[in-house]
Amino acid sequence: MKVIIVGGVAGGATAAARIRRLDEKAEIKVFERSGYISYANCGLPYYIGDVITDPSELTLQTPESFLRRFNVDMKVNHEVIDINPSAKTVTVKNLKNGNIFSENYDKLLLAPGAKPIVPQIPGVNSKRIFTLRTVEDTFRIKNFANSEKPKSAVIIGGGFVGIELAENLRALGMEVTILESAPQLLSLFDSDMASFIHSEIRNNGINLLLKNSVEGFSEVPGGIEILLKGKKILSDMAVLAIGVSPETSLAKKAGLKTGIRGSIIANEKMETSVPNIYAVGDAVAVKNFITGEDAHIPLAGPANKQARIAADNICRINSSYKGSLGTSVIKIFSLTAASTGINEKTAKAAGIDFEKVILSPMSHAGYYPGGKVMTMKVLFERKTFRLLGAQIIGYDGVDKRIDIIATAIKAGMNATELKELELSYAPPYSSAKDPVNMAGFMIDNVANGTLKQWFISDLENLPKSGCTLLDTRTVREFERGHIEGFKNIPVDELRERLPEIEKEKPVYVICQSGLRSYIASRILEGSGFTAYNFAGGFRFYENVMKDKSLIESSFPCGMDK
């Protein structure tokens, strides 16, 4: 059996190695357009920022090492330019010398990945404008930083690459601005959760301009102007990190069916619409595990799993890909932000009737030094309590908790069953009631009616004259900041001061994190009142509202030229 693989990074290299482990006799050839294989795409920003200092660390294998270990012929700087499915051949161009030749195959695997989105706007071809997708891109940015000593950079796009690169350029001492056309960074997070990400970025000296679209570029002596609507920013360099689109021109030319965002349609076995051709990775459409709808989720984890599954089926082992949760995590200076499943926007678009809990647990036991607060949001289906997704932002233990919830979703667990998970505990690592358990307890309280909630989105519509607004924090906390119209009765004084509250009116309760207000709600309910607890607490409200104000504010001082 002869297998040709197009693309030698995550999907292609993984598939090649798996095929070899399953079939020692197979002839395997990989054609990679760039000059590198099996490189750590996710590590590229950290080389630019000198976190990774040895460029050889970016490549997990070389063509020579791959040949020695797996007996796979890796051809770099070779681009497959045509596929003839009926003849089962590919046409290949040697990008070093221009030679064009043909190769036959029994099985063909496409793993071409994705390409950076480059808008067709004036000045976009300037030598001071970069993209970051390949090792070559990385070296171009690094060489420019070393030779030109830029003092400022503008990152256009607020996704994973844009944020990671912004942090690393900031570490080199540059003044960094992130420009994003949407009203928030990282669209996989809900806007309220993204407010914590925005705060961390601003606190580390990065200018954040949301709801701003780039209309063009103009080179000036020693720099480049980024043109916005009626405004412009002068910078030494700019990086386009708008996102990626599937690299599927070859597949379309060969007649393969494509779908969402032009991605290749493949079945559970990673087979395309054309016999003997498979596809994996960032070029492929997958099923959203929650909604069942087609999605484009360009992440390394799914790409590697798809590659293994395709290799299994090429070697006649029955294997299938069940869809993607899009589980992801990102380091943002000292902060960690992670998500799995779907967010509110996706749930609404899919017509799912959902509910959520928001909590602020400690990363480990409060009495053990070094504990940090994290913010968790867990979404679940209202009637069935099916787990839909989670977002967690904090400084320690975030990745552990998101992985637990991702596993629970894949296992088909009910949201209330999170309370039953038996998770490891020692004071330096967790609490006896782990944050995931706490989320489960809250959802269970929602299920049995013990917890009634209200949210930021409800605030404007509360019947102010027909309800009681109650803040149960201490007097000192209340004086430092509170929501207008709220009456302050500390939770420890509530039982004695119940006569101050009108019994016939519903009571909307808030505290700093949601715990004391929940206790107050139970006191009120037990005394004949109807009480609703604010999800997330005043710290959540304060951060969201501050971020909203900053987003709506004018252009940052000193940048409007």
Side-chain angles (χ1 to χ4, degrees):
M1 178 175 66
K2 182 176 180 179
V3 182
I4 298 294
I5 298 175
V6 180
V9 191
T14 295
R18 175 67 173 169
I19 292 168
R20 173 57 71 224
R21 290 194 293 269
L22 296 175
D23 187 345
E24 183 62 25
K25 305 291 186 179
E27 181 184 356
I28 309 169
K29 285 191 175 183
V30 179
F31 295 106
E32 167 56 40
R33 182 170 52 188
S34 76
Y36 300 86
I37 64 158
S38 190
Y39 57 81
N41 187 282
C42 299
L44 300 182
Y46 298 99
Y47 174 72
I48 294 169
D50 288 336
V51 177
I52 299 169
T53 56
D54 184 352
S56 66
E57 294 293 331
L58 296 175
T59 51
L60 307 177
Q61 295 278 353
T62 64
E64 294 76 22
S65 67
F66 215 92
L67 179 63
R68 286 194 303 269
R69 177 160 294 184
F70 297 109
N71 191 27
V72 170
D73 190 7
M74 284 276 190
K75 298 290 189 182
V76 295
N77 297 306
H78 280 68
E79 182 178 7
V80 175
I81 58 176
D82 198 18
I83 301 170
N84 187 332
S86 58
K88 295 175 72 172
T89 62
V90 295
T91 304
V92 187
K93 182 177 182 179
N94 185 324
L95 299 180
K96 289 287 190 180
N97 57 28
N99 289 343
I100 296 175
F101 58 93
S102 180
E103 287 274 356
N104 67 294
Y105 65 83
D106 295 306
K107 302 291 182 181
L108 175 65
L109 175 65
L110 301 180
K115 57 187 177 183
I117 295 172
V118 178
Q120 297 305 301
I121 54 178
V124 76
N125 295 319
S126 167
K127 292 182 180 179
R128 291 181 176 271
I129 300 174
F130 303 86
T131 58
L132 180 57
R133 182 68 183 176
T134 66
V135 175
E136 287 92 342
D137 292 338
T138 308
F139 291 157
R140 277 192 286 270
I141 296 173
K142 188 62 176 174
N143 291 339
F144 183 85
N146 290 339
S147 62
E148 301 297 323
K149 308 295 183 186
K151 292 184 171 61
S152 60
V154 172
I155 310 297
I156 300 154
F160 286 97
V161 172
I163 291 173
E164 289 170 343
L165 184 57
E167 177 180 344
N168 280 278
L169 293 179
R170 183 68 180 149
L172 296 178
M174 294 187 205
E175 180 183 350
V176 179
T177 298
I178 298 177
L179 275 174
E180 170 59 54
S181 60
Q184 69 168 82
L185 304 178
L186 293 174
S187 61
L188 69 167
F189 290 88
D190 290 318
S191 59
D192 51 8
M193 296 294 285
S195 68
F196 292 90
I197 296 169
H198 299 167
S199 178
E200 181 73 7
I201 287 173
R202 293 188 186 104
N203 289 342
N204 281 277
I206 290 180
N207 301 310
L208 183 56
L209 296 182
L210 303 175
K211 299 169 70 174
N212 276 274
S213 297
V214 177
E215 297 187 347
F217 303 92
S218 177
E219 284 203 24
V220 296
I224 189 164
E225 286 183 337
I226 297 90
L227 309 176
L228 309 179
K229 188 174 182 179
K231 301 167 184 173
K232 54 191 174 184
I233 301 172
L234 178 62
S235 182
D236 294 329
M237 62 181 290
V239 181
L240 295 171
I242 298 170
V244 296
S245 61
E247 179 61 272
T248 55
S249 55
L250 183 65
K252 290 176 181 177
K253 188 178 175 183
L256 277 66
K257 288 184 180 178
T258 56
I260 184 170
R261 299 185 65 190
S263 55
I264 302 169
I265 294 175
N267 62 19
E268 287 188 348
K269 299 179 183 298
M270 307 315 300
E271 297 168 323
T272 71
S273 59
V274 175
N276 300 304
I277 301 181
Y278 297 74
V280 302
D282 293 355
V284 176
V286 298
K287 293 295 181 184
N288 183 302
F289 187 82
I290 300 296
T291 67
E293 297 174 354
D294 284 345
H296 181 237
I297 303 176
L299 294 170
N304 279 275
K305 294 175 183 66
Q306 293 160 20
R308 178 185 173 93
I309 288 164
D312 284 353
N313 287 294
I314 286 171
C315 296
R316 299 183 179 84
I317 294 175
N318 187 29
S319 188
S320 60
Y321 188 70
K322 303 298 185 185
S324 178
L325 283 172
T327 306
S328 57
V329 64
I330 181 173
K331 173 188 174 295
I332 307 168
F333 293 97
S334 299
L335 196 72
T336 300
S339 72
T340 189
I342 62 175
N343 59 16
E344 290 192 47
K345 182 179 179 180
T346 303
K348 289 174 183 175
I352 299 173
D353 185 21
F354 68 92
E355 195 161 350
K356 62 196 173 189
V357 293
I358 301 169
L359 59 158
S360 303
M362 293 288 288
S363 58
H364 62 240
Y367 60 82
Y368 187 87
K372 300 286 181 66
V373 174
M374 66 177 72
T375 304
M376 296 179 64
K377 175 191 275 192
V378 181
L379 272 63
F380 54 94
E381 199 164 27
R382 195 181 302 275
K383 292 182 179 178
T384 66
F385 288 88
R386 175 172 66 117
L387 271 170
L388 299 175
Q391 300 158 51
I392 310 177
I393 297 175
Y395 296 93
D396 190 23
V398 169
D399 53 339
K400 170 183 176 179
R401 275 66 187 218
I402 207 71
D403 287 344
I404 292 170
I405 295 175
T407 302
I409 295 174
K410 277 283 189 176
M413 290 180 61
N414 186 288
T416 60
E417 291 179 305
L418 295 177
K419 72 182 191 297
E420 299 173 11
L421 290 174
E422 187 172 333
L423 305 173
S424 61
Y425 160 62
Y429 302 105
S430 185
S431 301
K433 292 180 283 191
D434 187 86
V436 175
N437 296 137
M438 292 300 299
F441 294 146
M442 291 178 67
I443 296 168
D444 188 56
N445 285 339
V446 171
N448 61 37
T450 304
L451 173 62
K452 301 183 185 75
Q453 301 184 98
W454 68 282
F455 303 92
I456 287 180
S457 58
D458 299 322
L459 186 58
E460 291 183 1
N461 300 318
L462 291 181
K464 301 293 193 301
S465 60
C467 68
T468 299
L469 305 178
L470 181 64
D471 190 319
T472 59
R473 295 176 297 157
T474 64
V475 173
R476 182 171 294 182
E477 287 175 299
F478 185 80
E479 290 175 346
R480 283 201 296 260
H482 59 269
I483 304 174
E484 185 178 352
F486 274 73
K487 178 182 179 67
N488 181 219
I489 301 179
V491 64
D492 294 334
E493 301 174 14
L494 182 58
R495 288 185 179 88
E496 291 73 29
R497 297 177 61 179
L498 285 175
E500 299 179 28
I501 305 172
E502 296 180 63
K503 209 162 198 176
E504 64 276 9
K505 293 182 178 181
V507 186
Y508 291 85
V509 194
I510 193 170
C511 72
Q512 188 67 15
S513 67
L515 176 58
R516 284 174 289 174
S517 54
Y518 171 65
I519 294 169
S521 296
R522 296 313 305 150
I523 293 171
L524 289 163
E525 290 274 347
S527 303
F529 295 82
T530 299
Y532 298 87
N533 186 37
F534 182 75
F538 186 78
R539 73 174 280 273
F540 188 80
Y541 166 85
E542 187 175 40
N543 202 81
V544 171
M545 298 309 290
K546 180 181 178 181
D547 181 60
K548 184 178 180 180
S549 175
L550 288 170
I551 292 172
E552 297 300 331
S553 66
S554 61
F555 213 64
C557 179
M559 298 186 67
D560 195 356
K561 303 295 183 183

